[in-house]
Amino acid sequence: MNGRLLKYIVIFSAFSVILLISIWVYRDEQSKKAESFNSESFKAIGYTNNEFDLFCDIAFNRNGERIRKWSTDIKVEIKEPHRLNSSSIAEVDSVIAILGPLIAPLKIERVWNNGNVYVYRKVDKVRLSDYHANVPVALKGLTQKNKESDSSWEINFASVYVREGANTQTLLHEFEHVLGLEHPLRIYPFYITIGRSIIPELFYSETEQIYLKHPFYISEQEKTVIRMLYSSEIKSGLHKDNFLNKMR
């Protein structure tokens, strides 16, 4: 082995070690940042026991039990707007107007291009995708978000698909997913939009019909949970166990 080749090997090895150490340090810093949590400041938001239970149920990602949320302004871009009538576009604007005050100081607004949330309305089919293969399923709506990683659980991109004929509640439901909410695993004594269609025997009833008459209905409990999620104390990557231990 000549000296020049040995020199390159040593340099490459040193560079690789430095890179691995840098990645490890970065991930460690991100983890510490995510897990830093001031429970007293969080309690100052003010919420009921029902709202706290709902937060624990729908605010943590099912894959890893960690918080996922936006840290940058949300720019909503409607794809193929020429296919839509003015009412369909106005409905998106209405959803944005409802959710905007709940995530302040972050902003959510509609843009004509360079968006980080793509909205596809009145599509013929909604397909469930794992980013590698498409599997047709009978869905009224679907939201896909950028994948989480070891170093970041932040949401920075999402796509919303809403089928032809789906009502406005479906659109609002999908936008709650965009913000980082999950379907509930528990039953609650109040109607929640993020839970609709998950427990059909309860919601395909006279109770649901009452709320469907209010196309942009979102419960006060859900509003509070979104404010809790987007409080400055809650960081992307915060683990549910750590959250509960500190809240105890």
Side-chain angles (χ1 to χ4, degrees):
M1 182 181 296
N2 59 50
R4 179 176 294 182
L5 179 59
L6 180 60
K7 178 181 178 181
Y8 287 150
I9 292 175
V10 170
I11 292 174
F12 177 78
S13 299
F15 177 78
S16 298
V17 171
I18 292 172
L19 180 61
L20 289 173
I21 292 174
S22 300
I23 293 173
W24 180 83
V25 170
Y26 174 78
R27 289 182 176 178
D28 186 59
E29 289 178 351
Q30 292 297 101
S31 178
K32 288 180 180 178
K33 179 182 177 181
E35 298 298 349
S36 63
F37 173 64
N38 188 322
S39 60
E40 296 306 315
S41 296
F42 183 73
K43 291 174 184 176
I45 297 171
Y47 46 79
T48 65
N49 288 338
N50 274 339
E51 290 162 346
F52 180 79
D53 290 342
L54 183 62
F55 178 84
C56 293
D57 191 3
I58 67 177
F60 290 88
N61 187 267
R62 300 293 177 220
N63 179 23
E65 294 288 279
R66 293 184 182 274
I67 290 290
R68 292 201 74 190
K69 59 186 284 190
W70 293 75
S71 63
T72 57
D73 292 341
I74 302 173
K75 301 181 183 299
V76 180
E77 180 180 344
I78 299 175
K79 289 297 185 178
E80 301 181 339
H82 60 276
R83 296 179 54 250
L84 306 176
N85 56 34
S86 58
S87 295
S88 297
I89 294 175
E91 286 174 349
V92 176
D93 290 335
S94 295
V95 169
I96 291 172
I98 291 168
L99 298 178
L102 305 179
I103 66 171
L106 287 188
K107 296 179 181 179
I108 177 171
E109 60 181 349
R110 186 162 64 84
V111 298
W112 289 103
N113 49 52
N114 299 320
N116 50 25
V117 174
Y118 291 168
V119 177
Y120 300 85
R121 296 215 63 186
K122 297 190 175 183
V123 298
D124 295 332
K125 294 180 181 179
V126 174
R127 294 176 179 270
L128 185 62
S129 172
D130 62 359
Y131 295 88
H132 300 290
N134 290 326
V135 181
V137 290
L139 296 175
K140 291 183 178 180
L142 174 69
T143 296
Q144 293 178 331
K145 298 185 286 288
N146 61 287
K147 285 193 171 184
E148 70 279 357
S149 68
D150 292 338
S151 59
S152 176
W153 282 74
E154 289 186 358
I155 304 172
N156 54 48
F157 183 81
S159 296
V160 173
Y161 303 87
V162 179
R163 281 181 63 183
E164 176 76 44
N167 56 40
T168 308
Q169 280 282 296
T170 298
L171 180 66
L172 184 54
H173 173 104
E174 296 305 329
F175 263 86
E176 288 187 81
H177 283 314
V178 169
L179 296 184
L181 297 184
E182 296 279 351
H183 295 141
L185 296 179
R186 298 176 55 186
I187 299 173
Y188 297 89
F190 45 84
Y191 178 87
I192 50 177
T193 300
I194 195 64
R196 68 185 308 271
S197 78
I198 303 305
I199 312 174
E201 65 272 19
L202 292 179
F203 295 141
Y204 288 113
S205 62
E206 293 182 5
T207 302
E208 185 184 41
Q209 297 307 314
I210 293 173
Y211 292 105
L212 288 179
K213 293 178 181 178
H214 304 275
F216 300 103
Y217 178 82
I218 179 171
S219 68
E220 291 303 315
Q221 292 86 350
E222 285 174 282
K223 289 180 181 179
T224 300
V225 165
I226 294 172
R227 292 191 188 100
M228 294 164 74
L229 176 60
Y230 278 86
S231 69
S232 59
E233 297 302 329
I234 298 294
K235 305 292 194 303
S236 288
L238 174 63
H239 197 282
K240 189 174 184 178
D241 288 344
N242 184 31
F243 171 77
L244 292 175
N245 285 335
K246 291 187 177 182
M247 289 302 293
R248 192 177 300 159

